[in-house]
Amino acid sequence: MNSTTHETDFYAWTQEQVQLLKTGQLHQIDWQNIAEEIEDMGRSEKRQLESRLELLIMHLLKWQFQPNLRSRSWQLTIKEQRLRLEKLLQKNPSLQPNLTEAIEDVYPLATLSAERETGLSLFPETCPYTLIEILSSEFLPE
């Protein structure tokens, strides 16, 4: 197998690369594709952080701006996303410094999703919640 296997049979390529690493055959390693795959894995963790923040903020907005429609489902989604974020940050503590920027990046998408689901277009221009509030299991906006 060679680096073209990376394109034609990804699973076989991963197994070959693992075996080469384990047996110390470093001269045969597909270093370029391994580096790209590791880079992609890091980006995937960051995307997961952003996706969870977006969903959490959207539900916080819905909770705040549609108090008459609050449901146990919304509350559980908020709780679930906070727990998933906590777990993600425990496994990837180096994502912690990205939180403030990630909130700023995803907030417009969170408002767009909230607007689509609620029909409302009155959400603030910038995120009305602090990082501490967003992550706090005790916080629900009133």
Side-chain angles (χ1 to χ4, degrees):
M1 278 190 224
N2 56 36
S3 67
T4 58
T5 307
H6 179 264
E7 302 299 322
T8 59
D9 188 345
F10 182 74
Y11 179 76
W13 175 85
T14 63
Q15 298 311 295
E16 178 191 30
Q17 298 307 304
V18 167
Q19 191 61 34
L20 291 170
L21 285 166
K22 286 182 175 180
T23 59
Q25 299 177 60
L26 303 182
H27 62 284
Q28 294 182 2
I29 299 292
D30 183 0
W31 292 109
Q32 182 63 38
N33 282 319
I34 285 178
E36 289 175 12
E37 292 301 329
I38 291 171
E39 191 173 48
D40 285 347
M41 288 169 28
R43 280 194 295 266
S44 175
E45 295 299 304
K46 190 173 182 205
R47 280 191 302 272
Q48 184 180 165
L49 174 78
E50 292 170 346
S51 177
R52 299 212 175 281
L53 280 170
E54 179 185 339
L55 187 58
L56 174 55
I57 293 169
M58 177 193 62
H59 276 81
L60 290 172
L61 289 168
K62 288 169 39 175
W63 186 272
Q64 180 177 358
F65 290 93
Q66 285 192 310
N68 56 325
L69 297 178
R70 289 176 183 167
S71 68
R72 179 88 171 125
S73 174
W74 288 359
Q75 191 174 21
L76 291 174
T77 297
I78 291 168
K79 183 177 183 175
E80 175 187 356
Q81 293 310 310
R82 284 177 171 150
L83 289 171
R84 290 185 184 276
L85 275 166
E86 181 181 340
K87 185 175 181 181
L88 178 65
L89 291 169
Q90 284 173 351
K91 289 184 175 187
N92 300 278
S94 63
L95 286 173
Q96 192 82 31
N98 296 311
L99 283 168
T100 301
E101 181 182 344
I103 290 167
E104 292 171 5
D105 289 347
V106 304
Y107 184 72
L109 295 169
T111 59
L112 188 64
S113 295
E115 187 173 333
R116 183 176 49 250
E117 287 197 16
T118 65
L120 303 174
S121 58
L122 48 73
F123 303 111
E125 288 286 318
T126 59
C127 187
Y129 319 118
T130 67
L131 174 58
I132 293 170
E133 289 172 333
I134 291 170
L135 298 178
S136 170
S137 61
E138 304 302 315
F139 174 74
L140 286 172
E142 293 303 322

